[in-house]
Amino acid sequence: AQSVAQPEDQVNVAEGNPLTVKCTYSVSGNPYLFWYVQYPNRGLQFLLKYITGDNLVKGSYGFEAEFNKSQTSFHLKKPSALVSDSALYFCAVRDYGQNFVFGPGTRLSVLP
Amino acid sequence: EAGVAQSPRYKIIEKRQSVAFWCNPISGHATLYWYQQILGQGPKLLIQFQNNGVVDDSQLPKDRFSAERLKGVDSTLKIQPAKLEDSAVYLCASSFDAYQETQYFGPGTRLLVL
């Protein structure tokens, strides 16, 4: 069965510093990987996805993620954090023909 | 383009009562998903439709939950009877296709069962 782990419940970073939100996964085949963000009282919004091709994926709002097959990771990164990036971030994975599985989420707080 | 619409936004009921949620996906999206998000957790897929057919309902508690998408467009999710542990946000999402495509989420329905 597929699974997603987000090892950090909370990540705190100062505004202007780089940020990383970690995600590791387990699937039997080739993974389709996604990052979503959830702002308070709002639905989930798509940030980026990896299906195939270049391991470095660029997405919305300056975010990017790197697919690492050997480490089964898909960490979300941003070179310079903004206070407005503070939100709940979810990593998700699916294998072809399988369920779509979300991780438990990581709360990002960017401090001014 | 219009996003995924859900109603109601909030619902408070007593245990053993029934409740229904409605979702209208983005026009042209064949795939529709219902998720349950309990506070502090990631969304859990309840059911996935491809047009008006069920693709996956393996995590749907079928003794009390039901869902339909009769005309392959909008969908309803029903809980009957509700339990305290059903308190959660119910999210609807849609995508153009099932596997590689981005899912677009509605604002959710927040259910409180007393």
Side-chain angles (χ1 to χ4, degrees):
Chain A
Q2 353 181 69
S3 64
V4 178
Q6 293 182 242
E8 300 156 318
D9 292 336
Q10 174 93 31
V11 170
N12 297 320
V13 63
E15 187 175 28
N17 283 0
L19 69 86
T20 298
V21 182
K22 296 180 180 177
C23 171
T24 58
Y25 65 90
S26 173
V27 297
S28 57
N30 292 321
Y32 303 150
L33 295 155
F34 301 78
W35 275 102
Y36 284 83
V37 60
Q38 189 172 37
Y39 298 102
N41 299 315
R42 295 173 64 178
L44 278 79
Q45 296 179 31
F46 170 77
L47 279 179
L48 51 80
K49 66 181 178 183
Y50 172 82
I51 303 299
T52 186
D54 193 349
N55 289 346
L56 184 63
V57 178
K58 295 188 181 296
S60 307
Y61 313 120
F63 284 93
E64 59 187 28
E66 186 167 12
F67 170 60
N68 188 318
K69 189 173 183 178
S70 63
Q71 297 185 6
T72 62
S73 68
F74 189 56
H75 301 332
L76 181 69
K77 299 181 180 183
K78 187 173 182 180
S80 179
L82 300 173
V83 172
S84 57
D85 292 330
S86 298
L88 195 54
Y89 289 81
F90 292 96
C91 182
V93 66
R94 83 182 309 163
D95 190 1
Y96 187 84
Q98 302 298 316
N99 291 343
F100 202 87
V101 176
F102 279 86
T106 297
R107 186 166 300 281
L108 172 67
S109 292
V110 180
L111 309 173
Chain B
E1 77 187 350
V4 176
Q6 289 188 250
S7 66
R9 292 295 309 275
Y10 305 93
K11 190 73 176 180
I12 301 174
I13 61 173
E14 295 188 350
K15 61 183 179 182
R16 292 188 289 274
Q17 286 187 323
S18 301
V19 64
F21 312 128
W22 174 83
C23 172
N24 188 261
I26 292 173
S27 177
H29 280 191
T31 309
L32 185 147
Y33 309 80
W34 282 103
Y35 290 88
Q36 180 192 59
Q37 186 177 19
I38 293 173
L39 187 64
Q41 299 180 19
K44 182 182 82 171
L45 180 68
L46 293 176
I47 189 167
Q48 176 183 338
F49 291 95
Q50 183 73 13
N51 296 308
N52 61 349
V54 175
V55 173
D56 185 350
D57 63 356
S58 58
Q59 298 189 95
L60 186 74
K62 298 180 184 64
D63 58 333
R64 299 185 299 107
F65 286 65
S66 64
E68 60 183 13
R69 193 184 185 200
L70 292 176
K71 296 182 179 179
V73 181
D74 56 351
S75 175
T76 56
L77 175 69
K78 298 179 182 178
I79 308 175
Q80 179 179 8
K83 293 185 175 181
L84 297 178
E85 58 262 35
D86 297 332
S87 295
V89 176
Y90 291 85
L91 298 167
C92 180
S94 70
S95 65
F96 183 76
D97 199 352
Y99 297 109
Q100 298 184 7
E101 290 296 324
T102 300
Q103 294 182 38
Y104 295 88
F105 284 81
T109 297
R110 187 175 298 274
L111 173 67
L112 179 60
V113 182
L114 302 176

